[in-house]
């Protein structure tokens, strides 16, 4: 199995726009949940919300903060 990476919602092994889309689908379109809370909780609040998707998008496209450790 691949290691658990915070923010890697789709468990591909890296953080990409697909992870933000996965989280958005989970929240708004009844998509499958990330395998673990850590996979979806990019901002370490203890829940998976739109803020996690925004953090990933900011990280990928704007050199924003990485998912929390």
């Amino acid at each position: 199995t691949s290691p658990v990476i915070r923010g890697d919602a789709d468990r591909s092994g890296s953080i990409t726009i697909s992870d933000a889309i996965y989280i958005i689908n989970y929240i708004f379109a009844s998509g499958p949940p990330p395998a673990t809370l850590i996979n979806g909780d990019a901002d370490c609040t203890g829940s998976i919300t739109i803020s996690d998707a925004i953090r990933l998008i900011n990280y990928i496209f704007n050199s924003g903060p990485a998912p929390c450790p």
Side-chain angles (χ1 to χ4, degrees), residues 35-56:
T36 69
L37 177 66
I38 290 172
N39 288 114
D41 185 18
D43 62 5
C44 287
T45 61
S47 61
I48 299 171
T49 66
I50 192 64
S51 295
D52 298 300
I54 291 169
R55 185 173 183 131
L56 293 177

Side-chain angles (χ1 to χ4, degrees), residues 18-47:
S18 295
D19 297 302
I21 292 168
Y22 194 100
I23 291 170
I24 291 167
N25 276 330
Y26 167 63
I27 295 168
F28 295 110
S30 300
T36 69
L37 177 66
I38 290 172
N39 288 114
D41 185 18
D43 62 5
C44 287
T45 61
S47 61

